[in-house]
Amino acid sequence: MDYFTLSIVVILLSGFIVGHVMKRKHLQINVDKYLVFFVIVLLFLIGVSLGNSETIVQSLTILGLKSLALALASILGSAVVAYVITRYVK
């Protein structure tokens, strides 16, 4: 296991242990509001990282078309399955 993976596992495990100890001592912290904030910050930083990548910026058209095709195929497939289920399953 490399250093990066080990550090992620240690951080996750230490958070689990802290949460478990707090639960056993009946200490409650509302982490939901903090969690949403940090997820938003993380998404922002990922966007900054992607925006700085020349490869991603140059591939936006191709990625956009593939994403559109995948979304349309998912919608069409779901509609077909829903039609078949409602039509033939009673």
Side-chain angles (χ1 to χ4, degrees), residues 36-55:
V36 169
F37 173 75
F38 285 113
V39 167
I40 290 171
V41 170
L42 180 62
L43 288 172
F44 174 76
L45 293 174
I46 290 172
V48 169
S49 177
L50 290 175
N52 282 331
S53 172
E54 284 296 323
T55 306

Side-chain angles (χ1 to χ4, degrees), residues 54-71:
E54 284 296 323
T55 306
I56 297 292
V57 172
Q58 291 173 353
S59 302
L60 279 179
T61 304
I62 295 169
L63 290 173
L65 290 175
K66 286 182 180 181
S67 299
L68 179 63
L70 181 63

Side-chain angles (χ1 to χ4, degrees), residues 2-20:
D2 64 344
Y3 177 73
F4 181 72
T5 305
L6 183 63
S7 64
I8 290 175
V9 170
V10 167
I11 290 170
L12 183 63
L13 188 59
S14 63
F16 175 80
I17 291 169
V18 167
H20 185 69

